[in-house]
Amino acid sequence: MQFTHSPPPTLTISQNFWRYAIPSIAAMLVTGLYQIVDGIFVGHYVGYQGLAAINMAWPITYLLSGLGLMIGIGGGTLISIARGENNPQHAQRALDHAVLLIAAVSVIALVLFVHFGETLLTIQGANHTIKALALQYVQSFGWAAFITIFAGAIPMLIRNDDSPKIATGLLIAGALTNIALDYLFIGIFKWQLQGAAIATIIAQAVTVIGGIIYFCSSYSPLRIHLTMKNIRFNHCWKIVSLGSSVLIMHLYASFVVALHNYQFMQYGTELTVGAFAIVGYMMTLYYLVAEGIAEGMQPPVSYYYGAKKPQNISKTTYLAIKVTIIAGITWFALLYSFPRALIGLFNSGNAALTSEAIAGIKLHLFAMFLDGLIVLATVYFMSVDKAGKALAISVSNMLVQLPFLYFLPQWLGVNGVWLSMPLSTILLSFIVLPMVWSDLQQRNKIAPSIPQPAV
């Protein structure tokens, strides 16, 4: 077995970055359509209580996506490094262990979701009506944990097999399926949040089936093996350790959203949680772009790391930083300028909900470009095999918010809940960004004196 493709030698560093980044951004936005389209249909057909319910279910179900991405990014990073080293045996080994992890983690997730889903909703302060709606969503995903985790992992594995367009195409097929089924199950059949969950699960199954077909085709030198032969625990651990920072990022998002839900129920009402759901969708659109930029940066950076080209690593990373900042500032300017039009996607004329969501956009999202840079820093350290630093950033991102969420609402009420995330993000960025700068400078100092391609 040998690799049949690698980055074309005629491409500049920026062209190679965009070769991965554009499909990756598109893939993340398409993936986000699952959540956003669910919110649009729920907001119009169920109302603000439905939005509050799906926002309380989301921190729970989002963990499944995090588990899938953990395995996909961890295994994909090893595949890209193996490609840079021109070692197809190591790439196949990474894929074999990734598939085993998907199966094992899915069983654990199913048990936890089915037995503890209701408890996790109660902790967030869900009342009887919201809890009943949210539980429909959570338990449906629990029984389909294998599909959701596999759907999160397989596009990342395909992308790192140097097929980013195919990975994006599979995600688009799933998203279009989800849109059609959301209309059918929520709009026509009136299945409420259970309909939203079933539509998403079926759409994810489309992506999974397409991914399996890819690895059985001539497009890939790798194959999915359903076997325990040559499986080693340390290889599984390597995938988990590399991808753990991504899981922590999802745990952070889930944890913070759950805490916000609880605090909004304490200092506000169900309507406030519904407004938070809408603001969260606005944030999600940028967060997905930032994550797409970061994950688009990862394959070339991992490849350059394996190929011992540190200057190319620096140039790729600096380009990703510029794009992340520009995207964040541009999106906030649009949200600040045209809030009613964007909020109207999720709201059927509830003036109080619109007013609360506008206030949330102004208070909650002004520093979101820094959150994008923190995501980028996490993926950067993971891409150059520094899983410890990546994990430390992800954990810090979660812990730094706790004092802000505890004290600010006591002083400022609901406005304090809205301000907790941006203020903690500003504080953390003063620590994380110098870490990236220092690592890049150190890497360039030890760079071998060999000619590098021009950007």
Side-chain angles (χ1 to χ4, degrees):
M1 179 178 66
Q2 61 181 7
F3 291 115
T4 57
H5 40 237
S6 60
T10 57
L11 291 183
T12 64
I13 292 171
S14 60
Q15 288 172 332
N16 195 38
F17 166 75
W18 286 113
R19 175 172 174 260
Y20 284 96
I22 290 175
S24 183
I25 293 169
M28 293 307 301
L29 288 174
V30 168
T31 303
L33 283 177
Y34 287 100
Q35 176 189 350
I36 293 167
V37 169
D38 284 354
I40 290 172
F41 279 98
V42 168
H44 282 279
Y45 288 100
V46 185
Y48 74 86
Q49 286 186 324
L51 285 172
I54 204 169
N55 209 54
M56 289 191 169
W58 181 84
I60 305 169
T61 59
Y62 193 55
L63 294 177
L64 293 177
S65 299
L67 290 168
L69 282 174
M70 175 190 73
I71 298 168
I73 290 288
T77 298
L78 293 180
I79 290 173
S80 281
I81 291 174
R83 288 182 55 250
E85 297 170 341
N86 195 27
N87 193 329
Q89 288 77 23
H90 284 184
Q92 180 62 57
R93 184 179 67 189
L95 179 61
D96 291 342
H97 286 78
V99 172
L100 174 66
L101 279 171
I102 290 169
V105 170
S106 297
V107 173
I108 298 171
L110 186 154
V111 173
L112 293 176
F113 270 58
V114 171
H115 289 282
F116 298 104
E118 184 174 0
T119 301
L120 294 172
L121 292 170
T122 301
I123 290 172
Q124 295 180 69
N127 60 30
H128 178 74
T129 302
I130 292 178
K131 186 188 296 183
L133 287 169
L135 201 56
Q136 298 174 8
Y137 201 76
V138 171
Q139 290 191 338
S140 296
F141 275 99
W143 288 109
F146 176 78
I147 294 174
T148 301
I149 293 173
F150 210 153
I154 203 161
M156 303 301 105
L157 297 170
I158 293 172
R159 188 197 66 195
N160 281 276
D161 193 36
D162 203 33
S163 296
K165 292 181 180 179
I166 292 177
T168 303
L170 290 175
L171 288 168
I172 290 173
L176 294 176
T177 302
N178 185 54
I179 293 172
L181 293 179
D182 265 342
Y183 175 72
L184 179 65
F185 295 160
I186 303 174
I188 303 299
F189 292 168
K190 310 295 183 184
W191 289 355
Q192 298 185 321
L193 269 68
Q194 187 174 35
I198 294 172
T200 299
I201 291 164
I202 293 174
Q204 290 171 339
V206 170
T207 300
V208 170
I209 292 169
I212 292 172
I213 292 173
Y214 166 81
F215 280 115
C216 293
S217 72
S218 59
Y219 287 99
S220 174
L222 307 178
R223 292 291 180 265
I224 290 180
H225 298 142
L226 300 177
T227 177
M228 292 292 292
K229 184 179 179 181
N230 297 324
I231 294 296
R232 298 290 184 272
F233 177 79
N234 63 314
H235 297 329
C236 291
W237 178 249
K238 182 67 172 179
I239 291 174
V240 171
S241 63
L242 281 173
S244 61
S245 58
V246 177
L247 177 61
I248 294 296
M249 286 163 56
H250 281 67
L251 284 170
Y252 147 72
S254 296
F255 182 67
V256 168
V257 169
L259 278 180
H260 276 78
N261 286 334
Y262 175 80
Q263 292 290 67
F264 278 128
M265 288 297 289
Q266 296 298 309
Y267 292 92
T269 64
E270 294 176 1
L271 186 106
T272 317
V273 178
F276 177 53
I278 295 175
V279 174
Y281 290 129
M282 301 297 107
M283 174 67 178
T284 294
L285 282 172
Y286 169 67
Y287 195 86
L288 291 169
V289 170
E291 194 169 345
I293 294 168
E295 293 182 3
M297 174 193 73
Q298 178 263 310
V301 167
S302 292
Y303 179 88
Y304 294 140
Y305 176 77
K308 305 296 189 294
K309 296 182 178 180
Q311 292 181 10
N312 290 11
I313 293 175
S314 297
K315 292 175 181 178
T316 303
T317 305
Y318 289 140
L319 178 58
I321 289 172
K322 292 177 185 177
V323 175
T324 301
I325 293 173
I326 292 171
I329 294 174
T330 302
W331 181 230
F332 178 72
L334 289 172
L335 288 173
Y336 192 87
S337 302
F338 309 102
R340 293 183 183 275
L342 294 167
I343 292 168
L345 293 172
F346 305 90
N347 181 24
S348 297
N350 188 322
L353 183 62
T354 299
S355 177
E356 189 68 34
I358 289 174
I361 287 173
K362 293 177 180 179
L363 294 173
H364 197 63
L365 302 184
F366 67 89
M368 64 181 176
F369 76 95
L370 291 175
D371 206 39
L373 291 179
I374 291 172
V375 171
L376 193 73
T378 303
V379 175
Y380 165 76
F381 284 116
M382 180 193 65
S383 301
V384 295
D385 202 16
K386 291 190 175 181
K389 286 189 175 181
L391 183 60
I393 293 172
S394 295
V395 172
S396 298
N397 202 10
M398 180 167 57
L399 295 180
V400 73
Q401 297 215 26
L402 297 180
F404 286 89
L405 271 170
Y406 181 76
F407 289 109
L408 284 182
Q410 296 181 36
W411 302 333
L412 302 174
V414 170
N415 286 347
V417 185
W418 287 119
L419 285 169
S420 297
M421 188 191 76
L423 294 182
S424 64
T425 299
I426 291 171
L427 175 62
L428 185 61
S429 66
F430 281 111
I431 301 171
V432 171
L433 298 184
M435 286 173 58
V436 176
W437 173 262
S438 176
D439 190 85
L440 289 171
Q441 294 303 304
Q442 184 65 29
R443 196 172 298 280
N444 285 331
K445 287 179 182 179
I446 61 174
S449 54
I450 56 176
Q452 300 290 334
V455 178

